């Protein structure tokens, strides 16, 4: 009624789609092809060089990286669609260390990481290790900015989105999604299809296609006439 442009972030189920001037809808929701809908392949984020520079500087207060390339592991936790299994995590970490012997190894868990997984990762010789239940520092901006390769559990869609839109790291997915046909699995499958990620299967992928969100924002500005 006021003539103010309206934008929706995420897919507004239950609402008339043409009531919005612009809808930024995740591709994994398989949005309908309305002229006001812009499919987005990842969770929205705005890369900011200053943010990552600050993150790297803060990380260097906690750890001094060597000249070796770094491999980062980001571990999430259990959810309605994902299950953390110690035996699967042990298998994956054994492979990571065996395949990257000349690298530094960095790790962070999350607030959702179960105690059994925290106990497991404690037994590995990470050069830098953050256990979230004991330390709330966030090393992920530095991981994204500095790592050669990032391993991240599949349910951590926000971290995956950040890793495939920023930095230069190859992104490896540690698959822990229970529901094969869920939208979360579609999210991973879509990214793997465009070679933005590789689902870790005991081999290292060469998926390093970075997703540029600038065209998404340009289309949104055009629809909103701003």
């Amino acid at each position: 009624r006021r003539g103010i442009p309206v934008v929706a972030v995420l897919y507004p189920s239950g609402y008339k789609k043409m009531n919005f001037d612009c809808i930024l809808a995740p591709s994994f929701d398989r949005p309908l092809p309305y002229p006001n809908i812009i499919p987005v392949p990842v969770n929205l984020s705005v890369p900011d060089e200053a943010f990552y520079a600050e993150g790297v500087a803060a990380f260097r207060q906690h750890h001094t990286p060597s000249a070796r390339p770094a491999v980062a592991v980001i571990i999430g936790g259990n959810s309605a669609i994902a299950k953390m299994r110690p035996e699967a995590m042990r298998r994956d970490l054994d492979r990571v260390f065996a395949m990257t012997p000349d690298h530094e190894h960095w790790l962070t868990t999350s607030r959702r990481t179960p105690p059994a997984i925290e106990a497991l990762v404690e037994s590995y010789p990470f050069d830098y290790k953050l256990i979230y239940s004991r330390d709330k520092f966030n090393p992920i901006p530095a991981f994204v900015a500095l790592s050669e390769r990032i391993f991240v559990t599949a349910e951590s869609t926000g971290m995956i989105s950040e890793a495939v839109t920023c930095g230069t790291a190859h992104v490896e997915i540690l698959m822990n999604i229970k529901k094969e046909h869920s939208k979360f699995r579609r999210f991973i499958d879509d990214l793997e299809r465009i070679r933005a990620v590789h689902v870790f299967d005991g081999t290292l992928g060469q998926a390093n296609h970075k997703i540029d969100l600038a065209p998404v924002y340009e289309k949104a500005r055009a629809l909103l006439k701003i």
Side-chain angles (χ1 to χ4, degrees):
R1 289 197 300 269
R2 299 185 181 191
I4 299 171
V6 178
V7 59
V9 177
L10 302 179
Y11 199 47
S13 299
Y15 293 85
K16 292 182 179 179
K17 306 302 182 285
M18 294 309 295
N19 283 349
F20 297 89
D21 295 275
C22 173
I23 298 173
L24 298 168
S27 300
F28 55 71
D29 278 332
R30 300 299 187 256
L32 296 171
Y34 286 95
N36 60 332
I37 292 181
I38 304 172
V40 185
V42 293
N43 294 357
L44 285 179
S45 63
V46 182
D48 184 299
E49 291 184 8
F51 172 78
Y52 287 100
E54 291 173 5
V56 168
F59 178 66
R60 291 184 187 278
Q61 297 297 315
H62 294 255
H63 175 70
T64 301
S66 71
R68 291 179 291 158
V71 167
V73 181
I74 301 173
I75 296 178
N78 295 323
S79 70
I81 55 90
K83 178 69 174 177
M84 302 294 291
R85 296 180 175 87
E87 63 275 13
M89 184 58 63
R90 183 185 301 278
R91 177 202 63 205
D92 288 338
L93 290 178
D94 285 348
R95 289 171 170 176
V96 169
F97 275 86
M99 299 175 76
T100 57
D102 300 322
H103 291 64
E104 278 209 1
H105 297 93
W106 302 341
L107 168 89
T108 183
T109 62
S110 80
R111 60 181 175 80
R112 295 182 293 106
T113 305
I117 298 296
E118 288 191 340
L120 172 65
V121 301
E122 286 275 37
S123 66
Y124 284 84
F126 284 97
D127 298 282
Y128 171 81
K129 184 188 306 177
L130 184 136
I131 303 300
Y132 188 85
S133 63
R134 300 198 300 264
D135 187 348
K136 303 301 188 289
F137 173 69
N138 178 17
I140 290 175
F143 285 11
V144 170
L146 300 176
S147 298
E148 177 185 273
R149 196 172 296 270
I150 295 176
F151 292 81
V152 56
T153 52
E155 93 296 342
S156 301
T157 57
M159 297 302 95
I160 294 169
S161 297
E162 188 173 345
V164 300
T165 53
C166 305
T168 59
H170 299 281
V171 182
E172 300 277 351
I173 303 300
L174 302 176
M175 184 54 67
N176 64 334
I177 292 176
K178 295 183 295 186
K179 298 181 180 180
E180 190 69 22
H181 302 292
S182 69
K183 67 179 182 179
F184 297 92
R185 186 55 192 257
R186 290 198 300 269
F187 172 69
I188 299 297
D189 290 344
D190 287 352
L191 293 179
E192 189 172 39
R193 193 173 299 114
I194 63 172
R195 297 179 59 80
V197 303
H198 172 251
V199 175
F200 186 55
D201 56 1
T203 65
L204 296 177
Q206 296 304 313
N208 61 351
H209 169 67
K210 291 297 172 178
I211 295 173
D212 182 7
L213 291 177
V216 169
Y217 298 123
E218 289 174 9
K219 291 178 182 178
R221 282 192 289 269
L223 285 173
L224 296 168
K225 298 180 176 58
I226 58 175

